[in-house]
């Protein structure tokens, strides 16, 4: 049975320009070159050394790692995702540690693909949580903390360390999610999911007088909800509820 062709991906900011190429002063616009071959404007002479900020094209075949090492900062959304074909000589920093990555000095831009795929197979659900659910809940999470910091500190410790009758401990669930993301080659996806979740909290609490500790608590709740969405089809409720901290909501409602 013939192997399925490998698809290679490059992520860019919303304007379609490779972020590192812009920083190097040699902007490469993928959006303007769909279907075209692009030669690297200033390729490294020693393969594959970083002789500048942008010495070669970097691409990945595991879409969940497409947001790794892109130069896109701060983490924001939307981004754009491109399917490309490497041409000419290719290389890799280390096939052992980066088997999903490829480097080249020439590419063909095949097409733009749905950017949410870079956040994992449930990327659409992740964005729903980040863009809709977290803004709805962030103020309440912060208010719960500021209404009784000592009590919430105790409850949070119990959730992190002990869990509850219908869910595991928060730390255990977080470590499990991280391990699964690593095994599924979605570490970059989870990193971005967490950054986007914290960014949504910052926006929701921008005009409030929430304390710093309340914001930190809201960050934890937000990232847990977003990561649970990323792994929605992989974990049972025992894990997902631990990530979401459902026990914390139940305790806060009784006080």
């Amino acid at each position: 049975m013939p192997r399925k062709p490998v698809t290679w991906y490059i992520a860019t900011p919303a304007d379609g320009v490779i972020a590192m190429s812009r920083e190097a002063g040699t902007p490469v616009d993928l959006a303007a070159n769909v279907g075209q071959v692009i030669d690297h404007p200033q390729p490294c002479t020693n393969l594959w050394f970083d002789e500048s900020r942008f010495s070669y094209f970097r691409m990945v075949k595991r879409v969940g790692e497409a947001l790794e090492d892109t130069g896109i900062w701060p983490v924001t959304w939307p981004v754009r995702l491109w399917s490309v074909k490497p041409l000419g000589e290719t290389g890799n920093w280390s096939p052992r540690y980066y088997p999903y990555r490829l480097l080249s000095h020439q590419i063909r831009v095949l097409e733009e693909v749905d950017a949410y795929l870079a956040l994992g197979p449930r990327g659409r659900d992740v964005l729903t949580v980040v863009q809709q659910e977290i803004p709805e809940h962030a103020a309440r999470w912060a208010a719960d903390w500021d209404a009784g910091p000592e009590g919430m500190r105790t409850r949070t410790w119990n959730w992190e360390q002990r869990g509850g009758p219908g869910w595991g401990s928060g730390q255990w669930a977080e470590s499990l999610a991280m391990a699964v993301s690593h095994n599924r080659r979605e570490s970059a996806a989870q990193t971005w999911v967490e950054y986007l979740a914290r960014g949504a909290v910052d926006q929701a609490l921008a005009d409030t007088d929430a304390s710093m500790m309340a914001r930190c608590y809201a960050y934890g709740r937000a990232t847990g909800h977003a990561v649970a969405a990323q792994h929605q089809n992989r974990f049972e409720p025992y894990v997902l509820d631990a990530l979401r901290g459902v026990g914390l909501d139940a305790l806060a409602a009784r006080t």
Side-chain angles (χ1 to χ4, degrees), residues 32-253:
N33 287 281
V34 175
Q36 303 299 312
V37 172
I38 304 178
D39 291 309
H40 195 285
Q42 194 173 358
C44 58
T45 55
N46 295 304
L47 304 178
W48 298 91
F49 285 84
D50 287 312
E51 297 174 350
S52 70
R53 179 64 172 151
F54 181 54
S55 295
Y56 37 75
F57 293 113
R58 309 163 187 236
M59 63 208 82
V60 297
K61 64 181 177 181
R62 300 302 293 266
V63 68
E65 300 292 359
L67 293 169
E68 177 190 36
D69 194 30
T70 61
I72 301 174
W73 187 261
V75 169
T76 187
W77 199 267
V79 298
R80 297 173 79 174
L81 188 63
W82 308 90
S83 169
V84 301
K85 180 180 181 180
L87 301 173
E89 188 172 3
T90 61
N92 191 312
W93 298 318
S94 169
R96 177 180 179 184
Y97 296 107
Y98 299 96
Y100 55 88
R101 182 177 288 280
L102 197 69
L103 316 173
S104 76
H105 286 157
Q106 188 181 66
I107 59 171
R108 182 187 298 277
V109 184
L110 300 180
E111 62 179 345
E112 184 172 7
V113 298
D114 291 325
Y116 71 83
L117 294 172
L119 299 177
R122 306 288 297 194
R124 286 188 188 274
D125 296 324
V126 169
L127 291 174
T128 297
V129 170
V130 168
Q131 296 170 351
Q132 299 179 28
E133 296 182 18
I134 291 174
E136 292 176 1
H137 297 307
R140 176 174 59 81
W141 290 331
D144 286 345
W145 183 277
D146 281 340
E150 291 305 318
M152 286 303 298
R153 187 173 289 108
T154 299
R155 295 179 197 121
T156 301
W157 187 90
N158 286 333
W159 161 67
E160 290 177 344
Q161 303 295 328
R162 298 176 179 174
W167 52 86
S169 71
Q171 285 191 351
W172 167 77
E174 290 166 1
S175 64
L176 182 60
M178 187 177 299
V180 170
S181 289
H182 177 77
N183 291 337
R184 298 271 183 166
R185 294 294 183 192
E186 291 179 17
S187 293
Q190 182 167 333
T191 297
W192 269 65
V193 166
E194 293 175 354
Y195 269 111
L196 291 172
R198 287 191 287 268
V201 170
D202 285 335
Q203 290 184 2
L205 300 182
D207 297 323
T208 71
D209 58 355
S211 68
M212 180 56 67
M213 289 306 300
R215 291 172 185 270
C216 290
Y217 173 68
Y219 288 153
R221 297 300 309 278
T223 56
H225 276 253
V227 171
Q230 179 189 357
H231 296 289
Q232 181 71 37
N233 287 356
R234 295 170 178 156
F235 295 148
E236 297 295 325
Y238 187 80
V239 181
L240 296 173
D241 286 349
L243 288 169
R244 297 187 185 109
V246 294
L248 290 167
D249 289 331
L251 288 167

